[in-house]
Amino acid sequence: MKIVLLGATRGMGRSLARLCARRGDAVALLGRERDEIARSARDLVALGAGAVAQGICDLDDPARFGPALAAAADALGGLDAVVLSAADFARPADLDADPARAVRLATRNFAHSIAFLEAARVRLLAHGGGTLCVFSSVAGDRARKATGIYGATKAGLSHYAVSLDLRDRPRGLRVVLVKPGFVRTGMTADLPVPPFAGEPDAVARRVLRAIDRGWPVVYAPPIWRLVMLVIRTLPRFVMRRAEF
Amino acid sequence: MTRLAGWGGVPAVDARERVGESLPEVCRPASLTRGLGRSYGDASLPARTGAIVASTRLGDRVLAFDRVAGVLRAEAGFRLSQLEELTRPAGWVSPVVPGTRHVTLGGMVASDIHGKNHHVAGCFGAHVRSLVLQVADGRELEVGPDRESELFAATLGGMGLTGHILEVEVALLAIACPWLVIEVEPAPDLGALVARLRAASRTWPYTVAWADALSRGARLGRGIVIKGRWAEPGEAPATSPLHSRVDSRLAVPCNLPSWVLGPTSVRIFDALFYRAHCWSAGRRVVHPDRFFHALDSIRDWNRLYGARGFVQHQSVLPDEAGDERIVRYFETITRHSGASFLTVVKDCGAEGRGLLSFPRPGISVALDLPMRGAATQALVDALNRHVLDAGGRIYLAKDALTRREDFAAMEPRLAAFDAVRRLWDPERRLRSALSARLLGDPA
Ligand SMILES: Cc1cc2nc3c(=O)[nH]c(=O)nc-3n(C[C@H](O)[C@H](O)[C@H](O)COP(=O)(O)OP(=O)(O)OC[C@H]3O[C@@H](n4cnc5c(N)ncnc54)[C@H](O)[C@@H]3O)c2cc1C
Ligand SMILES: NC(=O)c1ccc[n+]([C@@H]2O[C@H](COP(=O)([O-])OP(=O)(O)OC[C@H]3O[C@@H](n4cnc5c(N)ncnc54)[C@H](OP(=O)(O)O)[C@@H]3O)[C@@H](O)[C@H]2O)c1
């Protein structure tokens, strides 16, 4: 497989890239810090990647999305899948005092994420189709006190991904929408660990299976599908009181 | 704040844990760096509540793996389980491994771990070619046997007190075939056990003995001697051993009530353990994990000891002290009905380069002791009395209860270690619960 990832220097994206490398896939790493990408590339080479390409691409800089994807596809000599796992995170309380930060969060996680996925969609269709894998979140499934702007961007992203799947599947585009529950990565390192917390490597194993088989939606860890089923049915007066 | 503890569960300290992929950044403000907390006592805990501790668990990239020369360089959080998965199919293994795969390279260096092949291979540090160390003032240095060699020697077995280890480069061991040939030989008493262990080490690269620490009298110290070597091609299956799942399915789901590991059930557990692993006498070919990391087949087995936790005690009694000393040591254990369910006996080889590394020529004895407050402290004190009289020492990665004055009396090497710390960390920014307890560092 020839796979391009934005957001694979850390977290679940890193785990996914390493799984691909171990089975010999050709991997292109996109990211915003040259040194970090270079170090991660060394890791993927050592693990056995068939080829490793590197490119600069920052969610803050949408003008670079198209060229970065084109360069990655050229370096790999083709393109089978694009993964977006890069995202920003902030709790509502962190944003109260800093409206500019709130705009940045909304822009990166929604507007610019969609711009990236649009660029990737165009690229994949130009190659005759392929898989577009989007990391959204269970936070987008139901509004809670703690989900705030972050959850709203993920709700929007999920909506977009499903719509894309409905529209472009006949043209060979397969969309894999990933909805992680709480996963122990750097993003959540400062948060209290709730029940059903997952590990990035286990999530990545599940996501790769979804990419290989074309599953449209994956909850990871899988138990979160059930958890969200319950949370979605809770009436609003309960959500008002709930502290999660 | 996160409650941190070592593998024994006691003591526990609330700390501010920093986790992240970029180790230089994560470590910079920390007073200590830890790996997976597989050291038993307080070595991986901060000196005081609320202090910052860096965790390397997300800093685990491989930076280079030379499949021809067998040299691996990786970030300090790279785990032995990952290393085995990567290198074993290519014909290379870690030159030294502990009883669990769930340890990091950084932890293996900082404890300068030893394995069943200590008598031929020495400690892990003997195979380390270079380290990147972030010292107390924030500088990053490349250190090795020929570069800042004093600092390097102090870092091997230095329990994280000389700097934050960011990268490790190690020379691996070549194997012709990824299976193990093992031979198990029973021994009816302690004298036979030690004699057979020593004899085995003359011809086998991997040796260890398990003693039943509950039998008394004529059967004191009865047990089995286990010997192993990598198989030759043709002796073993042509397939490669499956890499065991890191998250083994058999798990202890929660802390058990503390009576569970009382003396009677220890006896039952002992019997089950020996059976379950088919450690019956004779020679056969086994999966390397079964030989090297038998306990990993039960995830979270430390919970067997309940919420009160347990402590380990491991010491080495020098050969010069005579075998009578080992007998008296075992008598002390059985007298306290300490109920250690696994007593591991190993003959150590020559002392290595590490300024505070544990092994030296002699017989090492390691026990698990359920934590029972003052009684456990008294037993550790009594064991340390033997260690002192014999001119031996204890293993810091396993210790929680040794007293400062006893440690100082056991360790003439402490002055050299202190000198290195004075040079590189005059303000003692780097310290741990262990260094506060044993080296007199401020809390
Ligand atoms: C079942 C079991 C069997 C074992 N068998 C053996 C054995 O056979 N032989 C043996 O020698 N040991 C053995 N051990 C002990 C274990 O190998 C060591 O304690 C090892 O250091 C644990 O590694 P860790 O990554 O969990 O480190 P931790 O326990 O987290 O830390 C151990 C020490 O290393 C320091 N440290 C860790 N990472 C860094 C870093 N990056 N930079 C600076 N300092 C660091 C910590 O500060 C601490 O002092 C065993 C432990 C268990 C649980
Ligand atoms: N962890 C969870 O519990 C959880 C739960 C639900 C959903 N998710 C979602 O799952 C995805 C992965 O999460 P994670 O926990 O693995 O995250 P993570 O560990 O924080 O990793 C995030 C990755 O995104 C990259 N990134 C961040 N901002 C970027 C930007 N502006 N431009 C380019 N790259 C950027 C980071 O690269 P740098 O190295 O440059 O920082 C890093 O590689 C995210 O979409 C997240 O929202 C996570």
Side-chain angles (χ1 to χ4, degrees):
Chain A
M1 183 165 68
K2 292 170 176 151
I3 183 169
V4 179
L5 304 100
L6 176 61
T9 45
R10 303 173 197 263
M12 291 178 261
R14 175 191 285 190
S15 293
L16 182 59
R18 295 176 106 182
L19 276 187
C20 293
R22 269 167 41 193
R23 61 182 204 181
D25 291 344
V27 183
L29 289 177
L30 300 182
R32 52 184 169 170
E33 279 178 60
R34 198 172 294 280
D35 292 350
E36 283 299 310
I37 299 169
R39 265 176 102 82
S40 288
R42 284 165 76 182
D43 180 50
L44 300 181
V45 168
L47 294 182
V52 182
Q54 309 171 35
I56 293 294
C57 184
D58 189 326
L59 269 183
D60 288 335
D61 184 10
R64 286 276 312 143
F65 295 166
L69 282 163
D74 283 350
L76 299 183
L79 189 60
D80 301 312
V82 177
V83 179
L84 173 68
S85 62
D88 195 0
F89 175 77
R91 285 173 289 188
D94 306 334
L95 301 172
D96 286 347
D98 190 353
R101 176 86 184 78
V103 171
R104 222 161 44 238
L105 175 65
T107 308
R108 283 177 178 161
N109 281 14
F110 186 67
H112 288 181
S113 289
I114 298 233
F116 180 83
L117 293 168
E118 278 296 310
R121 181 180 77 97
V122 170
R123 250 308 110 207
L124 283 167
L125 288 176
H127 285 264
T131 302
L132 190 55
C133 173
V134 188
F135 278 70
S136 180
S137 170
V138 295
D141 274 14
R142 177 83 201 260
R144 291 176 281 123
K145 284 177 187 163
T147 51
I149 296 175
Y150 174 82
T153 64
K154 293 297 189 182
L157 209 55
S158 296
H159 182 114
Y160 164 78
V162 174
S163 154
L164 209 60
D165 178 70
L166 299 177
R167 192 177 66 162
D168 282 339
R169 204 175 181 83
R171 299 164 67 196
L173 189 77
R174 296 198 296 185
V175 179
V176 174
L177 172 59
V178 184
K179 295 184 179 179
F182 187 99
V183 182
R184 278 160 42 96
T185 66
M187 186 178 274
T188 54
D190 294 333
L191 306 178
V193 180
F196 311 122
E199 293 295 329
D201 287 349
V203 170
R205 279 198 295 273
R206 202 168 149 73
V207 172
L208 188 56
R209 208 172 313 140
I211 291 174
D212 287 342
R213 304 194 183 158
W215 296 344
V217 180
V218 234
Y219 284 82
I223 177 82
W224 282 87
R225 182 188 287 273
L226 208 69
V227 174
M228 293 320 294
L229 198 69
V230 173
I231 292 184
R232 272 203 305 269
T233 60
L234 295 176
R236 183 172 302 206
F237 75 89
V238 175
M239 296 307 286
R240 284 212 170 95
R241 271 176 226 163
E243 277 316 314
F244 55 80
Chain B
M1 292 266 241
T2 315
R3 173 143 284 218
L4 300 180
W7 188 241
V10 280
V13 181
D14 287 322
R16 283 189 287 154
E17 194 182 23
R18 273 172 73 86
V19 189
E21 281 85 353
S22 167
L23 294 183
E25 228 167 84
V26 168
C27 293
R28 198 157 285 120
S31 62
L32 188 72
T33 294
R34 77 197 306 251
L36 298 179
R38 251 47 177 209
S39 50
Y40 282 77
D42 54 5
S44 70
L45 308 182
R48 63 175 169 77
T49 303
I52 300 177
V53 178
S55 160
T56 59
R57 81 179 157 82
L58 297 182
D60 65 347
R61 283 178 285 200
V62 183
L63 299 170
F65 173 36
D66 182 334
R67 286 161 200 262
V68 178
V71 176
L72 177 103
R73 188 179 187 92
E75 293 174 344
F78 192 63
R79 300 181 287 280
L80 178 58
S81 54
Q82 295 173 304
L83 183 149
E84 291 180 342
E85 194 167 0
L86 173 65
T87 67
R88 209 156 61 196
W92 300 98
V93 293
S94 172
V96 175
V97 300
T100 172
R101 296 182 300 152
H102 307 304
V103 293
T104 63
L105 286 180
M108 290 164 81
V109 172
S111 295
D112 202 13
I113 60 148
H114 58 278
K116 297 178 172 71
N117 58 351
H118 187 265
H119 59 286
V120 290
C123 288
F124 188 72
H127 309 273
V128 171
R129 306 192 351 161
S130 120
L131 301 172
V132 175
L133 198 63
Q134 188 187 77
V135 287
D137 64 13
R139 263 182 305 157
E140 279 175 37
L141 308 173
E142 179 108 28
V143 303
D146 315 309
R147 248 168 122 173
E148 297 293 359
S149 54
E150 270 302 283
L151 179 58
F152 177 68
T155 301
L156 304 180
M159 309 312 291
L161 300 171
T162 57
H164 309 283
I165 302 165
L166 305 180
E167 291 175 21
V168 177
E169 183 173 298
V170 60
L172 304 171
L173 175 72
I175 53 166
C177 168
W179 294 88
L180 254 287
V181 172
I182 69 161
E183 194 174 284
V184 177
E185 183 184 11
D189 60 41
L190 190 57
L193 189 85
V194 171
R196 283 170 199 182
L197 176 63
R198 287 194 182 118
S201 292
R202 281 196 282 277
T203 48
W204 291 78
Y206 298 98
T207 60
V208 68
W210 290 349
D212 167 0
L214 297 173
S215 309
R216 303 173 186 215
R219 301 205 299 178
L220 180 78
R222 70 174 179 150
I224 53 175
V225 176
I226 307 165
K227 316 160 210 180
R229 61 172 168 79
W230 292 100
E232 297 297 329
E235 254 182 323
T239 56
S240 49
L242 283 183
H243 193 78
S244 342
R245 288 175 58 102
V246 171
D247 38 348
S248 110
R249 282 163 198 277
L250 203 60
V252 181
C254 59
N255 280 328
L256 297 190
S258 43
W259 49 262
V260 170
L261 276 190
T264 320
S265 42
V266 165
R267 232 176 272 267
I268 297 168
F269 189 92
D270 253 357
L272 280 179
F273 188 79
Y274 292 136
R275 297 268 153 71
H277 286 274
C278 335
W279 295 117
S280 49
R283 179 182 286 223
R284 67 192 146 272
V285 175
V286 300
H287 192 292
D289 289 347
R290 170 170 283 196
F291 178 71
F292 289 115
H293 318 300
L295 282 168
D296 285 347
S297 55
I298 310 169
R299 184 153 49 96
D300 298 333
W301 61 264
N302 53 346
R303 291 177 173 167
L304 286 169
Y305 284 96
R308 286 159 84 181
F310 68 109
V311 297
Q312 265 246 341
H313 187 269
Q314 181 171 4
S315 66
V316 55
L317 303 170
D319 292 330
E320 309 87 85
D323 288 357
E324 187 49 34
R325 173 66 65 183
I326 307 170
V327 174
R328 274 188 277 143
Y329 194 85
F330 265 75
E331 284 168 354
T332 303
I333 301 169
T334 52
R335 204 167 33 247
H336 278 76
S337 72
S340 172
F341 80 73
L342 245 192
T343 300
V344 182
V345 182
K346 169 70 195 149
D347 54 322
C348 293
E351 191 167 287
R353 179 194 290 267
L355 288 188
L356 276 192
S357 294
F358 162 70
R360 53 149 294 151
I363 292 291
S364 145
V365 181
L367 349 146
D368 289 340
L369 306 167
M371 185 60 184
R372 296 289 177 270
T376 312
Q377 178 72 56
L379 174 54
V380 168
D381 288 342
L383 293 174
N384 282 342
R385 190 73 16 227
H386 286 295
V387 177
L388 271 168
D389 291 349
R393 59 172 79 123
I394 55 146
Y395 187 15
L396 293 176
K398 306 259 175 113
D399 187 59
L401 294 177
T402 293
R403 294 172 195 276
R404 185 176 173 196
E405 54 280 15
D406 287 346
F407 183 68
M410 283 172 203
E411 278 297 355
R413 303 176 299 172
L414 213 47
F417 184 72
D418 270 341
V420 174
R421 280 184 88 201
R422 266 199 305 280
L423 193 61
W424 292 97
D425 184 15
E427 294 154 37
R428 304 235 158 164
R429 285 198 206 163
L430 298 175
R431 51 192 203 271
S432 63
L434 179 139
S435 77
R437 174 170 59 89
L438 292 178
L439 308 181
D441 285 354

